[in-house]
Amino acid sequence: MNALSFHDVTRTLGGRRVLDGASGAAEQGTVIGLLGRNGEGQTTWFKVLRDLLAADSGTVEVLGLRPDGSGRIRQATGYIPERPTFHSFMSVAEVLALRASLFHKWDSSRAAALCERLGLDPATRLEGASKGTLGKLAWVCAAAHDPALFLLDEPTSGLDALVREEVLSGLVNELGEAGKTVLVTSHRMDELAGLLDEVWVMAGGRIVAVHALDGLRADACVIGGRLRSADAPPAVPGAIPLGGEGLVRSWAVLDRATRERLLGCGALESPSVEPLPLDRAFSHLLCLKGGELR
Amino acid sequence: MSIPLIRLELRKNRLAAASAAAAFLVTLPVCRLVSAATGLELKLSLDAALTAWVLLGVPLAAALVGAAAGASAASRDANECEALLPPSPGRRAFSSLAASVLLAAAFAAFVLATGAALGMPPSRFLSPGQKAWGASFWYGLELSPLLAIAALDVLAGAWTLSRLLGHGVAGGLLALAASALTGAAVAVCFGLQIEHHAWGASCLKTAFVLAAAGALAKVGAGVVAARGAERRTGAHGLAAVLALLLLPAAAIWGRAWTELRMLDARATPLEAEAVYRYQSFDGRYPRGSRALAAAGEGALLRTVRGGVLVADAAGVRALVPEQNSGLSELLLEPFKVWVHGSWRDEKGVLWIERYVSPNTELWRAEGPKAESRRMTDGGSISMIGGVPLKHRYPDAKRLLLAPVDEYFVRGDGAAWFEGYKTFLTRRRREAPAGLVACGGTCLEAGGRRWKLPGAALDPDPVYPDEAGGRRAYLVPVRTAKGEQVALCRADGTTAIAWPLHGSTYQGLPDGTLFSFGPGSTLWAVGPGGEVGEPLSYARLSLELAKPRSSRPAVMRRAEGKAWLVWGGKLTVLDAEGRTVLSRPLPDGIEETVPLKDGFVFTTRRSAWFSDWTGKLRRVENPR
């Protein structure tokens, strides 16, 4: 069953088409990393998924619910914004009390346990609170009502190394193991690599590529070699040229089909294949637009 | 709306309400300083300050909290904090609006409670009639609903505009300006005595404001999220809201301007119907109606610029001379001259009450001219038991009541009660009421007994009417045919006058009494007490496409026919309900009053007389 599905979603803001026919589906229990450069539509897409902004066209279904402006979707999902913001006149305990009165499934004992685990003192006043405190509180707020779907926008931003480790190896990992669906964006996707099932690439307001992480690990590689002829460098779709000198060239390849096409095209003399580290693979994915190179 | 969200909004906006409360509290020691510096009595200075706070401070505080809440609802911080929460943007916006209403109400309650603690109860400010200000205009005036509407209006306007603009000061000032524009228009209409034209539009404005607030709350998410990106949408929204706020004010000003231009030609109706009616014996209307008809020549009364004109077959003339209010007076002292009403007493004498600051005048007219009796001590009159009674409030607790000059005092003591009782007893002797006897089957009055054609519906005394110039009684009874009205004639005979349908019947100048019955029928008792057959006007009703609840104005019922003014025409129906005469009348008929030889009616600019054949004559401009 899909926890999240959307088809041909468009949304225009200020005359610019920010979402341009985005389509995709996430199975329940999948942990998905969303890759995309700034301004590619992730923020708007998250707003559409949280039913804060209506799509101009297309269909969206989140946990079986259609966006209707009522807030049912927000009841059922947990969200961590990139820059968590809370009313500065409140304390941590007051923020949690407010949410307890608004979320039907709020579990106060779970909230207390999360506070303790993250080292968050409920008595802390939020005026002038550190980025780390706000980040921890955002985690508690997102998880205490035990949602089935988590939307995490830079969930480790502002957290110190220890807490980040706790969040990544502890919380996100547990969410995945508990069968929760997680959609996460991060500028440091490599540190999440061990937790992800899939990577989605968003560009130009669309999901342009979906890679299973196991496949990426197995197939992403750098293929290098000497060109047989300087006049005809191979033009294989999906192969990302990395440069080179003279006739010696190399390409980053992210999937098996591209790899076989490049190796099989006969343009290279004694090609070499080296595994591509995930962090570099993620960087190369960001260069894709519509499945092609930018 | 959501209680937790309202609590959150109350907390967010408490500073605005606290600022208003602090400003109010600072006023109190300032009053003491003013008293010390000027020698003004402290209580008077506090009274003035509290009155200003109640009448102006509360709407201003409402604007303040509305603007603060609107600006807060539009702020990026608030949206980023609260967008994570399940309630929809609409619910959040309505909660913000509701919280600001609560804060404004709390502020008003705080001001009134402080006044009460200082010995000045809320009624002192909200019911100025109780304050014995002398101006009888204020009698019975309750300011609470007006203040509540004004505060709600300015609050909703400030909230809406501040939310649209994202700026509390600008939104609040714009809303105050729009409300001031409407309020000034209403005040001018009050001065022109056409406030009924203003209320509808000003209520419409409040409704517009609330609708705009609601619409903004509903679509707010899109507008707020898109601010900057969709600035044009915000500008369109702002223009639409401003138009909504200003259009009703423009409509009221337009109306006021028309009236000002027509000041010389302007006239307002003055209880023309009262010419043919006086209240039942002790001021009550027992079951079965009892708006008693007084036979006699009629006339149509109008107030014009503080005077009273009378229009009848002979023409239009001034009964009470005009008391001119110039335009400046109209605006600065709108209630300087105020004609309250007119009453016809049991002897046919017409009484007109006029307030001319600072006195109340009572005018008495038996013929074409009226004479004035000035009530220098203020007060007002009521018609009780067919007699005009002066009344005034010497203080908040007591009421002084006088038939002519002799005062009865109502209040804590028993003096008034005893005196009033004595008065009523005397009146009853003079015009004895009929009493139901024989277990409800008889009526006894003045030593005479009538056998009723059914059982009386209620045991209350029955007050006399006149039929054919002689005393008669109309008694609601239950018969085998249902509830009907029995006529007990002066000669001792009885008859069924008409079915009991609705609650009123009326009199015509020749002494005919008539009533409307079920199925669009007209029933009548002739001048000699004879009961006529019902006449159906159903066919006419169909021809004129009138709703079933609509009724014609009956001008005459004689010779088996009925003369009706309806749908801009004079129509004469025969006994079968067929039209035997139909004459169009000038457009825009306002009032009609039947006379002996015809009827007089007014249009906006003229008074007209029509005889029974429909021959029209312009009487005169009633101005």
Side-chain angles (χ1 to χ4, degrees):
Chain A
M1 179 190 167
N2 288 332
L4 173 67
S5 65
F6 49 102
H7 180 69
D8 208 14
V9 176
T10 64
R11 172 70 201 203
T12 301
L13 288 176
R16 183 176 156 242
R17 199 155 175 131
V18 182
L19 293 181
D20 188 12
S23 299
E27 277 185 24
Q28 201 164 348
T30 316
V31 180
I32 298 160
L34 182 67
L35 279 175
R37 299 177 72 177
N38 293 336
E40 295 293 349
Q42 295 100 311
T43 304
T44 302
W45 190 53
F46 268 25
K47 279 186 178 173
V48 170
L49 291 184
R50 287 160 54 227
D51 196 12
L52 283 176
L53 204 60
D56 293 335
S57 64
T59 56
V60 177
E61 201 165 286
V62 179
L63 300 169
L65 302 171
R66 291 282 177 96
D68 58 3
S70 68
R72 289 183 308 158
I73 288 178
R74 289 190 295 283
Q75 278 284 2
T77 55
Y79 173 66
I80 295 184
E82 183 179 0
R83 284 188 298 273
T85 314
F86 298 95
H87 293 296
S88 58
F89 54 81
M90 286 185 166
S91 67
V92 168
E94 286 169 337
V95 168
L96 298 180
L98 175 66
R99 276 159 174 73
S101 65
L102 294 171
F103 283 92
H104 304 323
K105 291 185 177 174
W106 188 267
D107 182 346
S108 295
S109 57
R110 184 181 170 87
L114 280 167
C115 284
E116 194 174 340
R117 186 169 172 185
L118 294 170
L120 184 61
D121 180 2
T124 306
R125 306 291 315 174
L126 294 178
E127 186 159 20
S130 68
K131 225 174 152 186
T133 301
L134 298 179
K136 291 175 196 174
L137 181 54
W139 260 103
V140 179
C141 290
H145 58 294
D146 195 25
L149 171 67
F150 283 81
L151 303 171
L152 311 178
D153 193 358
E154 298 289 342
T156 56
S157 174
L159 300 180
D160 62 42
L162 282 177
V163 177
R164 187 186 301 137
E165 179 60 26
E166 172 64 25
V167 164
L168 295 177
S169 63
L171 291 175
V172 178
N173 197 29
E174 283 170 24
L175 294 178
E177 287 177 1
K180 307 290 185 189
T181 309
V182 181
L183 192 59
V184 56
T185 69
S186 174
H187 290 303
R188 298 180 61 182
M189 197 61 86
D190 53 315
E191 67 181 13
L192 292 165
L195 310 169
L196 301 179
D197 297 317
E198 288 179 2
V199 175
W200 292 4
V201 182
M202 187 164 213
R206 283 184 291 159
I207 304 296
V208 294
V210 174
H211 292 272
L213 209 74
D214 289 344
L216 203 60
R217 267 199 201 95
D219 301 327
C221 60
V222 174
I223 297 175
R226 186 182 176 82
L227 289 174
R228 292 184 194 280
S229 163
D231 299 335
V236 177
I240 303 164
L242 297 177
E245 288 185 4
L247 292 177
V248 178
R249 301 287 174 87
S250 61
W251 290 263
V253 174
L254 301 171
D255 58 87
R256 180 169 296 177
T258 308
R259 173 178 163 165
E260 287 174 359
R261 277 203 303 275
L262 185 57
L263 290 175
C265 71
L268 295 173
E269 287 179 10
S270 42
S272 65
V273 179
E274 292 173 15
L276 183 66
L278 271 179
D279 58 336
R280 285 185 59 202
F282 290 149
S283 301
H284 290 310
L285 281 173
L286 288 175
C287 299
L288 295 174
K289 183 170 187 181
E292 301 293 332
L293 285 177
R294 285 170 191 270
Chain B
M1 283 181 287
S2 148
I3 300 295
L5 284 183
I6 290 176
R7 280 207 300 263
L8 173 67
E9 293 294 336
L10 288 175
R11 197 166 169 192
K12 277 164 62 183
N13 299 303
R14 67 194 186 285
L15 187 63
S19 306
F24 165 66
L25 287 176
V26 165
T27 316
L28 303 180
V30 169
C31 285
R32 179 172 283 279
L33 290 176
V34 168
S35 293
T38 62
L40 188 70
E41 194 185 335
L42 177 60
K43 187 153 187 173
L44 281 178
S45 130
L46 281 173
D47 189 13
L50 282 164
T51 302
W53 270 106
V54 170
L55 300 182
L56 293 175
V58 168
L60 282 175
L64 179 67
V65 294
S72 162
S75 76
R76 183 172 290 276
D77 280 354
N79 276 291
E80 284 183 358
C81 293
E82 290 154 23
L84 306 174
L85 303 175
S88 64
R91 282 181 73 194
R92 283 192 277 130
F94 278 120
S95 300
S96 163
L97 196 56
S100 51
V101 170
L102 286 177
L103 282 172
F107 175 76
F110 176 63
V111 171
L112 292 174
T114 306
L118 293 170
M120 286 172 267
S123 60
R124 189 177 179 84
F125 313 109
L126 299 176
S127 309
Q130 300 297 318
K131 207 172 169 182
W133 283 354
S136 55
F137 165 75
W138 296 105
Y139 171 68
L141 185 65
E142 281 295 334
L143 291 179
S144 328
L146 302 181
L147 264 179
I149 289 176
L152 189 63
D153 179 88
V154 75
L155 184 149
W159 186 91
T160 307
L161 289 165
S162 301
R163 178 130 198 262
L164 265 174
L165 293 167
H167 198 289
V169 176
L173 287 177
L174 267 177
L176 277 175
S179 291
L181 206 59
T182 314
V186 171
V188 168
C189 287
F190 238 106
L192 291 163
Q193 300 181 12
I194 54 161
E195 67 279 7
H196 51 284
H197 289 303
W199 291 134
S202 57
C203 288
L204 192 66
K205 188 226 169 196
T206 304
F208 278 173
V209 173
L210 290 172
L216 182 61
K218 205 68 189 162
V219 302
V223 174
V224 172
R227 182 175 298 111
E230 290 187 355
R231 199 173 288 279
R232 270 178 310 175
T233 307
H236 293 161
L238 180 64
V241 170
L242 280 175
L244 282 179
L245 298 195
L246 295 177
L247 274 177
I252 306 173
W253 275 112
R255 180 75 201 188
W257 177 243
T258 307
E259 291 293 333
L260 280 169
R261 284 172 56 209
M262 294 180 62
L263 207 55
D264 283 338
R266 196 167 64 84
T268 51
L270 177 69
E271 303 189 20
E273 215 177 19
V275 173
Y276 290 113
R277 289 181 177 185
Y278 60 88
Q279 272 186 303
S280 62
F281 194 84
D282 54 1
R284 296 183 306 136
Y285 285 92
R287 183 174 173 193
S289 79
R290 306 301 196 271
L292 303 184
E297 185 65 26
L300 193 149
L301 302 177
R302 310 197 98 185
T303 58
V304 182
R305 300 177 68 178
V308 176
L309 301 180
V310 61
D312 56 18
V316 178
R317 63 188 180 278
L319 195 62
V320 175
E322 293 176 31
Q323 181 86 27
N324 197 2
S325 285
L327 183 58
S328 59
E329 281 179 342
L330 199 67
L331 297 175
L332 298 175
E333 198 181 356
F335 308 121
K336 184 176 178 181
V337 182
W338 188 269
V339 176
H340 288 265
S342 63
W343 299 266
R344 175 89 61 174
D345 72 13
E346 61 181 355
K347 295 172 188 163
V349 175
L350 180 67
W351 297 85
I352 293 165
E353 187 187 27
R354 176 169 74 168
Y355 170 73
V356 180
S357 175
N359 300 307
T360 301
E361 297 170 350
L362 192 58
W363 291 77
R364 185 176 183 281
E366 274 187 278
K369 286 189 178 176
E371 58 173 338
S372 164
R373 306 175 67 141
R374 178 166 289 184
M375 298 196 291
T376 53
D377 49 0
S380 186
I381 67 164
S382 297
M383 192 63 62
I384 298 177
V387 174
L389 292 177
K390 249 193 320 186
H391 58 74
R392 70 184 180 94
Y393 291 90
D395 53 48
K397 286 185 178 173
R398 290 186 304 150
L399 167 70
L400 293 179
L401 198 71
V404 186
D405 298 315
E406 175 191 2
Y407 277 85
F408 299 96
V409 182
R410 190 178 81 173
D412 296 334
W416 174 85
F417 189 71
E418 195 177 310
Y420 184 65
K421 276 278 196 196
T422 308
F423 166 74
L424 283 182
T425 307
R426 178 158 55 85
R427 299 296 309 151
R428 277 205 180 93
R429 268 204 305 275
E430 288 171 4
L435 296 173
V436 174
C438 319
T441 57
C442 298
L443 183 80
E444 292 180 347
R448 187 183 289 277
R449 173 179 285 191
W450 290 266
K451 172 77 178 147
L452 296 173
L457 285 177
D458 63 55
D460 290 343
V462 182
Y463 301 99
D465 295 313
E466 282 188 358
R470 300 180 68 188
R471 184 169 291 164
Y473 295 84
L474 285 160
V475 188
V477 293
R478 178 173 290 107
T479 69
K481 292 184 178 175
E483 293 185 348
Q484 296 180 302
V485 175
L487 171 71
C488 301
R489 301 185 183 100
D491 62 3
T493 58
T494 61
I496 292 295
W498 46 66
L500 186 60
H501 178 73
S503 62
T504 58
Y505 58 94
Q506 296 166 50
L508 294 170
D510 65 356
T512 298
L513 302 175
F514 71 88
S515 176
F516 292 101
S520 301
T521 52
L522 182 64
W523 299 68
V525 171
E530 67 280 11
V531 176
E533 286 296 311
L535 184 151
S536 170
Y537 57 88
R539 195 179 302 165
L540 179 62
S541 176
L542 276 176
E543 278 172 21
L544 298 174
K546 293 285 183 186
R548 292 181 71 181
S549 58
S550 175
R551 288 172 172 178
V554 179
M555 298 293 106
R556 189 183 182 206
R557 179 82 169 89
E559 303 158 13
K561 293 185 243 176
W563 280 253
L564 310 174
V565 174
W566 211 15
K569 287 191 237 179
L570 167 68
T571 304
V572 182
L573 299 183
D574 66 10
E576 305 301 318
R578 288 178 300 228
T579 301
V580 294
L581 178 78
S582 178
R583 292 276 184 273
L585 298 174
D587 289 338
I589 295 175
E590 292 178 339
E591 305 145 70
T592 50
V593 171
L595 309 176
K596 272 187 174 167
D597 303 321
F599 61 98
V600 66
F601 63 95
T602 56
T603 55
R604 182 156 179 77
R605 288 178 178 273
S606 299
W608 303 77
F609 175 80
S610 167
D611 66 15
W612 299 129
T613 66
K615 191 175 172 189
L616 278 177
R617 170 160 55 89
R618 190 194 296 262
V619 178
E620 201 178 313
N621 185 337
R623 289 191 302 144

